[in-house]
């Protein structure tokens, strides 16, 4: 493995570690009952109207499909 390849792998590993830390912190904060103020969309849904954890992805009160697509697209854009 070349030094350039090693440096790239190290950079990606550190970046993914930071993303995991933010995800964990987000879980802890929202499970503790702290949510962003205001509405998440123009129809008036507030941030705390959606459940925590996996229930936010599946179930009757889950985030709409268009919202999930936007989240995945944003994360993909961040990875570039």
């Amino acid at each position: 493995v070349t030094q350039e390849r090693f440096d790239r792998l190290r950079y990606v590993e550190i970046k993914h570690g930071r993303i995991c830390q933010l995800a964990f912190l987000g879980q802890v904060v929202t499970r503790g009952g702290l949510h962003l103020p205001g509405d998440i969309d123009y129809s008036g849904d507030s941030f705390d109207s959606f459940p925590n954890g996996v229930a936010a992805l599946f179930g009757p009160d889950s985030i709409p499909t268009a919202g999930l697509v936007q989240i995945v697209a944003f994360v993909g854009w961040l990875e570039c």
Side-chain angles (χ1 to χ4, degrees):
V1 178
T2 65
Q3 184 65 37
E4 182 178 315
R5 176 81 174 143
F6 179 79
D7 291 341
R8 171 72 179 147
L9 290 173
R10 178 184 284 168
Y11 167 77
V12 170
E13 184 176 357
I14 290 171
K15 181 171 77 167
H16 287 162
R18 289 177 180 157
I19 291 170
C20 290
Q21 290 172 355
L22 286 173
F24 177 77
L25 182 63
Q27 274 292 331
V28 169
V29 168
T30 55
R31 298 268 176 169
L34 184 64
H35 298 276
L36 294 174
D39 296 334
I40 196 168
D41 58 11
Y42 292 119
S43 66
D45 294 325
S46 63
F47 284 98
D48 60 355
S49 67
F50 295 104
N52 298 326
V54 177
L57 303 176
F58 308 106
D61 295 331
S62 65
I63 299 171
T65 304
L68 292 176
V69 169
Q70 289 176 357
I71 292 169
V72 170
F74 179 69
V75 170
W77 178 78
L78 288 175
E79 283 293 316
C80 291

